[in-house]
Structure formats: structure tokens, C-alpha cells
Amino acid sequence: MASTTPLHQLHDAGVAVWLDDLSRRRTRSGDLAALVGRGVVGVTTNPTIFAGALAHGEAYDEQLRALAAAGTDVEDAVLAITTDDVREACDVLRPVHERSGGVDGRVSIEVDPRLARDTDATSTMAQRLWSVVDRPNLLVKIPATVEGLPAITAALAQGISVNVTLIFSLQRYAAVLDAFLEGLEQAQAAGRDLAPISSVASFFVSRVDAAVDARLDALGTPEAAELRGRAAIANARLAYGLYQEVLRSPRWQALEAAGARPQRPLWASTGVKDPAYPDTRYVDELVVAGTVNTMPEKTLEAVEDHGTVHDTVSGRQDEAARTLDRVEAAGISVDEITTALEEDGLRKFEASWDELLASVRAGLQRNGGTPA
């Protein structure tokens, strides 16, 4: 891939650029294919994205009419609509998947967020999504809740590729890495080919700064002001250090020798929330080989226009640790913040899922259905 824009330069630096958005308009208008031509090699979705897609345009009306005529209930209609969108995106990205040897060209779909605290239900839903979409370049998104960890292991053990989402803390990320290794070890014990099993770990970035900065602002000291906008990047750089430790471990090396692929860190929540910060901040400051950065379109366009690409992570773990130590010394508990962010993230996704259900219910009723 020629180094003509920062997006292509990211590719050359070992960073996979994924789009954090999906809609039927994108897949059917050629927009997604055009983005692939510009350097996008994957897509992530979540309940908020699906709710937004359903709320705009008429792209779903024909399917809603067919579902209403068939007497489909709301839950099954949501499953049909979302899995159809993801399947179409998988097909658009299939050439990327094949060209990259199965590494990229991935599209994610999330389990119902209402199941995030139920291990068995999450496992069952992951299997259903994997079966219904039926594409080798799918990733099933499972939240990194305590209850989600064994579901992650179970899915990987069954050969299901997984995007672990809503990771905020280093402690939870360490547990995710362990769940990943355990899943591959179980898959290997069952005689599965490890090479097709893919996984990424979505470590959230900008939301951490938003929460920490609010507390720093409340302190109102020069030291606090100097720390603004530094916690999230430090947190992510330390996460990359944990990833490197796993790659050096005998446990991983045994799996790699058996054909396994690493679980790449994926930088999520990379749209800048504070207008005082550069709009490419959470891309420029997290460039390092072997990672994924999933961006909303606005961020992607900013990076393509004026992003800067050079390794900004390697060798900076000690500096990152000192930054978080200073945040803690200011009386701000990063653990407390990341725990609250996980809960808040789940609440937001549940609210978006409710919005999605309401939109589909209204669409079915509008077209003569009588959903429960």
C-alpha cells in the first residue's frame, strides 16, 4: 500500500485502520468500498451505531415490510436487520480479509448488551450471531465484564473470533489477555485449527480523559491543569506494555508455534471529546505496530487530512506509569473512574438497544405488523 496519505502511512507503520460506523447506505451505495480504497481495512459496530442507522433514511423499509408481513417479532427483526448489515459489510471487506491472510477485513457485531452480566446467555448469543452471519471475517463483540470473561474464553474455544469490548482498566485488560490465552488453549486441546481464530481487545481511550479531566478541572491547581489530556494515552500505552509481556511469554509462544494469531490491542473511543485537543490526538499518540485504531468517520477524515505518523508508544511505558502515578497523587483514583466507565458504557449501550428495539417496533407497526 503506497504511503500517499496518513491512513496509508498508518498501514505501513503496522496500524490497521478500521471504521467505527456501519449502515445499509454505506454498504449499498459503494461508500464502504470507497473507504476501503482509502485505507480502511475493518469495521466496528455497536448498539448506538445500529440505532442511528435505523433512525435515518429509508434503506430498511423494504426489509421492515417483509418482516411485518411474516409476523416477525421485534427481537427477531432486530437480529435479522443487524446481521444482514454486518453480513453485507463482511462481503465488501472479504477481499481485504483474503489479501491480509485473514488478519484484517473484519466486521464486528455485538451481543445484546442486556446480557453483559449473564455468562451463559452471552455465550449462547455469541454462537447464534456467529452462525447467523456465517462469514469467516466476522468478529463477535463481547463486553469485558467479569461475567463476560468466561464467555470470551468459551467463544474462542469453539472457534468463534471475538472482539472484546468496553475495556477501560489495566487490571481488566490483563484478565482479558488471560481469557484469550485460555480460549486458544481449549481450542487447541479440542483439535481446532488456531489460525482462523481472530481476536482484538478494544481498549477505550477518550472516555478516560473526559472523566479524569473533569476531576482535574475541579481541583483547579497548576499541577492538575498540566495533567489534562494525559491519563488516557498513558493508560493505553501501559496496556500495550501488557500486550508485549504476553507476546514474550512461553504460554503465548507455544500457541503461536501451533499457528495462533495474537489478540491485537484495538484503540476504541478515539473521537476527541474536548475541542481544546487536536482532533487526531488519539490516533497520533497511539501509533505502534500490531495494533488497530477504529475511528468514527470525522476522526478518520481528520487523520487522512493532517494526521502525523511515527511510533509514539514503544519505550514509553515508564513515562506512562509516572503520569498515572501523578494522577493518583492528585487524589484521583483511576481504578474508580474505569469501573464507573464500564458501568456507564453498559448503560449507554442498553439505552441504545432499547432505542433500536423501539425503532424496529415502530417500523413493523407502520408496515402492518403487530409486534409484541
Side-chain angles (χ1 to χ4, degrees), residues 55-68:
H56 298 94
E58 301 176 350
Y60 299 91
D61 287 355
E62 181 180 352
Q63 185 173 20
L64 284 166
R65 284 192 292 271
L67 291 168

Side-chain angles (χ1 to χ4, degrees), residues 20-326:
D20 191 29
D21 191 44
L22 181 63
S23 68
R24 197 157 293 182
R25 178 195 63 78
R26 283 197 187 278
T27 56
R28 296 186 179 179
S29 68
D31 176 80
L32 181 57
L35 287 169
V36 170
R38 288 160 54 187
V40 171
V41 294
V43 169
T44 51
T45 69
N46 59 47
T48 302
I49 287 170
F50 280 127
L54 262 292
H56 298 94
E58 301 176 350
Y60 299 91
D61 287 355
E62 181 180 352
Q63 185 173 20
L64 284 166
R65 284 192 292 271
L67 291 168
T72 309
D73 67 23
V74 174
E75 299 281 348
D76 286 343
V78 167
L79 179 70
I81 290 167
T82 57
T83 55
D84 280 2
D85 274 7
V86 167
R87 190 181 303 107
E88 288 186 13
C90 283
D91 290 343
V92 172
L93 284 155
R94 186 69 173 268
V96 176
H97 183 251
E98 294 172 353
R99 193 164 59 241
S100 66
V103 175
D104 285 309
R106 297 279 174 174
V107 183
S108 299
I109 187 170
E110 189 157 346
V111 298
D112 182 337
R114 298 171 299 179
L115 308 178
R117 299 297 185 191
D118 187 328
T119 300
D120 291 341
T122 295
S123 295
T124 299
M125 187 66 179
Q127 293 171 37
R128 188 178 184 192
L129 290 171
W130 184 253
S131 175
V132 171
V133 175
D134 192 25
R135 292 294 186 272
N137 50 333
L138 178 70
L139 289 171
V140 177
K141 291 179 81 171
I142 299 176
T145 58
V146 170
E147 298 83 357
L149 294 171
I152 292 160
T153 294
L156 292 164
Q158 294 160 15
I160 297 171
S161 294
V162 175
N163 177 344
V164 184
T165 190
L166 283 178
I167 308 171
F168 294 95
S169 76
L170 296 170
Q171 294 82 357
R172 186 58 54 81
Y173 180 46
V176 167
L177 288 165
D178 185 69
F180 166 70
L181 295 172
E182 177 66 23
L184 290 188
E185 288 164 348
Q186 291 183 19
Q188 183 182 28
R192 294 188 183 277
D193 181 3
L194 300 185
I197 304 173
S198 179
S199 186
V200 295
S202 295
F203 201 87
F204 280 53
V205 187
S206 67
R207 296 189 196 182
V208 174
D209 268 348
V212 172
D213 284 358
R215 300 198 184 189
L216 290 169
D217 291 345
L219 292 175
T221 65
E223 167 79 358
E226 201 269 330
L227 284 169
R228 288 190 92 258
R230 298 179 60 183
I233 291 166
N235 200 39
R237 287 173 176 166
L238 288 172
Y240 187 77
L242 292 177
Y243 167 67
Q244 288 182 303
E245 288 179 16
V246 165
L247 293 187
R248 291 191 294 265
S249 71
R251 189 179 180 192
W252 164 249
Q253 289 167 6
L255 289 166
E256 185 178 37
R261 302 176 188 273
Q263 182 190 59
R264 289 181 292 174
L266 179 152
W267 311 128
S269 182
T270 57
V272 171
K273 293 176 172 54
D274 188 333
Y277 298 150
D279 53 3
T280 61
R281 181 181 188 87
Y282 299 115
V283 180
D284 295 348
E285 297 295 329
L286 292 172
V287 176
V288 64
T291 59
V292 179
N293 197 304
T294 185
M295 313 173 200
E297 187 171 23
K298 183 178 179 181
T299 301
L300 188 145
E301 290 177 345
V303 170
E304 187 175 41
D305 180 67
H306 53 267
T308 58
V309 179
H310 59 91
D311 189 331
T312 47
V313 177
S314 297
R316 301 184 71 172
Q317 278 69 48
D318 288 346
E319 172 193 339
R322 288 193 295 271
T323 296
L324 291 191
D325 286 345
R326 290 175 63 193

